[in-house]
Amino acid sequence: LIAHHVKYSEHELRVLVLGFFQDKKGPNYQAFKEAKFGRKEPKYVWVKSRDLALRFLPEGHTGDAILLLSPFLDDPQGPNFMLPQESLGKAEELVRFVETHGAPRVWQYSDALSAQITSRKLQKFTWAFVDPASPQWGQYQAAMTQLAGEQKGRMNFAMVSSDKHSLMDFFRIDKASLPLLMIVDLHPEIGQRQFKFGKFDSKKKSWDTSGCQEMDEAKLRKFLEDYEADKLKRFLRSEPVPEKQDSAVVKLVGHTFEEEIAREKDVLVSFYGDFSWCEHCKIFAPEYVKIAEFFSKVDSVVVADMDFMQNDIENVRARGLQPSGFPAQYLFRAGEHDRPIPFNPDKYSGERGLRAISQFIMDHAALPFQDSSGKKYGGKRRDEL
């Protein structure tokens, strides 16, 4: 049983949770069952034999106990971990204990282990992307191993070899940019956030990550301390900034989005997905150009678009920018760029074309404007909409 359920390789990780209980009807056993419910892994086993229990429990221990058997021989506190006595009978604390001690101090990422690593309840990760043949691999491994022991239960650490293309593609990391260190977390109000080790050049709209070429415990510790103190600038993915705008539709990217919508204008943004999988986006694109041309002579209105999957936006959840499908249009009213108004086709006879969206802008624009005949639109306060 132990040989089968306690193992760690690039293909699988298994640990074993043993429960020693004097009373099967008692609260300690019931919490053990609750923590186990619905989980295939790890394996939870009630050990009925007292003789077998004596092989694992500390000498002289006579009460109930829960023990996690792990394959982590390099952990100075392991490889076996006993649940604190004050946590017995508390299912949530047991689940947290198993997640904390049922993982290596530093993960060695592989595609086979990806789901186990990324689905952890603690959604805070320090990722080091390094060429294993380079001298930096040892530097990062040593620094992360040291700090992972101190950060156990507060941060996950993972080394990622440069040949793990699936994860590097997911984060849009070029092998030529390695080594690279970044923290990724899942904020309850904002969503996923990324923080690169480096400095952002606001003029060049790019990150300088040359500091990643050398890594030690002190540099990594400072990076983690700045993260905890909320001193790090968030890394936002962005397509290259267009050298020129060659369409009536203004092309936005991550690095230009905030600046554009903060202008003293009403900015309509259509968020789209890649045409290779979003057929609706492909069909809608020519119609959206017509909308931009329709408002081309209205100085107070900007019609823009952005690939939502290739560019990050700050605080998408808090700002209500979570499209349920693509394309999706939002109007950022002048002076109210943190409170966009989503276009709802149901309010315009189910249409999403020139007539419907132009009427949407006329109905909701913060700044007044008029058409060629002198008819006036917009200018309403938000509470008048």
Side-chain angles (χ1 to χ4, degrees):
L1 179 67
I2 294 176
H4 181 70
H5 287 283
V6 181
K7 58 179 68 174
Y8 178 41
S9 71
E10 66 174 329
H11 304 293
E12 64 178 336
L13 167 62
R14 287 187 174 185
V15 298
L16 188 62
V17 185
L18 303 181
F20 307 89
F21 307 105
Q22 297 178 349
D23 183 4
K24 190 175 180 180
K25 296 181 179 180
N28 295 342
Y29 179 71
Q30 296 304 314
F32 185 78
K33 284 177 58 180
E34 184 180 339
K36 173 186 176 181
F37 182 77
R39 292 181 171 86
K40 292 184 178 180
E41 292 290 342
K43 186 77 171 178
Y44 285 70
V45 178
W46 175 33
V47 180
K48 300 179 182 180
S49 169
R50 192 64 194 173
D51 291 337
L52 183 59
L54 294 175
R55 290 178 51 191
F56 299 100
L57 297 177
E59 186 176 351
H61 187 94
T62 58
D64 290 355
I66 295 176
L67 197 67
L68 183 145
L69 307 187
S70 87
F72 311 128
L73 301 177
D74 62 338
D75 193 318
Q77 298 178 343
N80 301 334
F81 305 88
M82 180 177 286
L83 180 73
Q85 290 295 297
E86 61 269 20
S87 295
L88 285 171
K90 301 173 183 177
E92 287 189 10
E93 291 190 20
L94 173 54
V95 171
R96 187 161 51 248
F97 169 82
V98 170
E99 174 167 291
T100 298
H101 297 288
R105 285 196 292 174
V106 179
W107 289 89
Q108 304 296 317
Y109 178 86
S110 71
D111 291 340
L113 294 175
S114 178
Q116 275 184 278
I117 297 172
T118 59
S119 63
R120 296 175 61 74
K121 192 171 184 178
L122 176 63
Q123 286 291 301
K124 293 183 179 181
F125 298 88
T126 297
W127 298 97
F129 297 85
V130 189
D131 182 347
S134 70
Q136 289 99 335
W137 182 271
Q139 295 176 12
Y140 278 86
Q141 182 73 50
M144 293 182 77
T145 298
Q146 175 61 39
L147 291 178
E150 301 174 13
Q151 293 273 334
K152 204 167 190 178
R154 293 160 32 202
M155 175 69 73
N156 299 303
F157 293 82
M159 295 285 296
V160 186
S161 171
S162 55
D163 62 355
K164 305 305 180 189
H165 303 298
S166 59
L167 189 64
M168 290 180 61
D169 288 345
F170 176 80
F171 286 121
R172 296 179 62 194
I173 296 174
D174 186 347
K175 187 176 180 179
S177 68
L178 303 187
L180 184 67
L181 180 70
M182 63 191 302
I183 293 174
V184 180
D185 68 12
L186 188 62
H187 193 280
E189 296 179 359
I190 298 174
Q192 188 190 90
R193 304 185 302 173
Q194 299 179 18
F195 303 92
K196 274 188 178 181
F197 185 95
K199 296 181 179 179
F200 182 70
D201 188 324
S202 57
K203 292 184 178 180
K204 295 181 179 179
K205 304 292 186 184
S206 63
W207 282 81
D208 177 7
T209 59
S210 58
C212 292
Q213 290 298 322
E214 300 289 335
M215 185 55 58
D216 56 30
E217 180 187 333
K219 289 174 71 173
L220 179 56
R221 184 184 300 278
K222 181 65 165 57
F223 184 49
L224 292 168
E225 288 175 349
D226 287 347
Y227 165 74
E228 292 293 344
D230 201 23
K231 294 180 179 179
L232 297 179
K233 178 177 176 58
R234 183 183 171 193
F235 167 68
L236 299 173
R237 295 179 304 162
S238 176
E239 293 178 287
V241 177
E243 294 183 2
K244 63 178 182 177
Q245 298 288 350
D246 52 8
S247 169
V249 178
V250 177
K251 169 70 175 177
L252 302 183
V253 297
H255 289 326
T256 62
F257 177 79
E258 298 295 344
E259 180 181 345
E260 189 66 41
I261 66 168
R263 295 170 58 187
E264 285 302 312
K265 295 191 176 187
D266 292 297
V267 184
L268 178 74
V269 180
S270 180
F271 296 111
Y272 63 90
D274 192 276
F275 290 178
S276 64
W277 55 263
C278 183
E279 188 68 22
H280 292 297
C281 300
K282 184 177 180 180
I283 294 172
F284 180 70
E287 187 72 11
Y288 197 62
V289 172
K290 294 179 182 179
I291 297 169
E293 292 172 343
F294 183 80
F295 286 97
S296 61
K297 294 183 179 180
V298 180
D299 291 338
S300 63
V301 175
V302 175
V303 178
D305 67 4
M306 189 172 87
D307 188 330
F308 195 79
M309 308 306 291
Q310 298 294 320
N311 300 277
D312 290 333
I313 299 173
E314 192 78 67
N315 302 343
V316 288
R317 288 186 181 178
R319 297 162 82 171
L321 292 173
Q322 291 184 289
S324 58
F326 298 104
Q329 293 74 44
Y330 290 80
L331 180 64
F332 295 82
R333 283 167 46 98
E336 301 176 8
H337 59 276
D338 277 335
R339 295 188 295 163
I341 300 176
F343 169 71
N344 184 354
D346 292 339
K347 294 182 178 181
Y348 296 89
S349 303
E351 296 182 13
R352 195 191 292 272
L354 171 60
R355 183 173 60 177
I357 293 183
S358 60
Q359 188 62 54
F360 168 69
I361 295 174
M362 294 171 184
D363 292 342
H364 296 87
L367 301 177
F369 63 92
Q370 60 185 30
D371 61 18
S372 57
S373 66
K375 187 174 181 180
K376 296 181 179 180
Y377 302 96
K380 293 181 179 180
R381 299 193 310 270
R382 195 175 185 100
D383 58 8
E384 295 177 324
L385 297 176

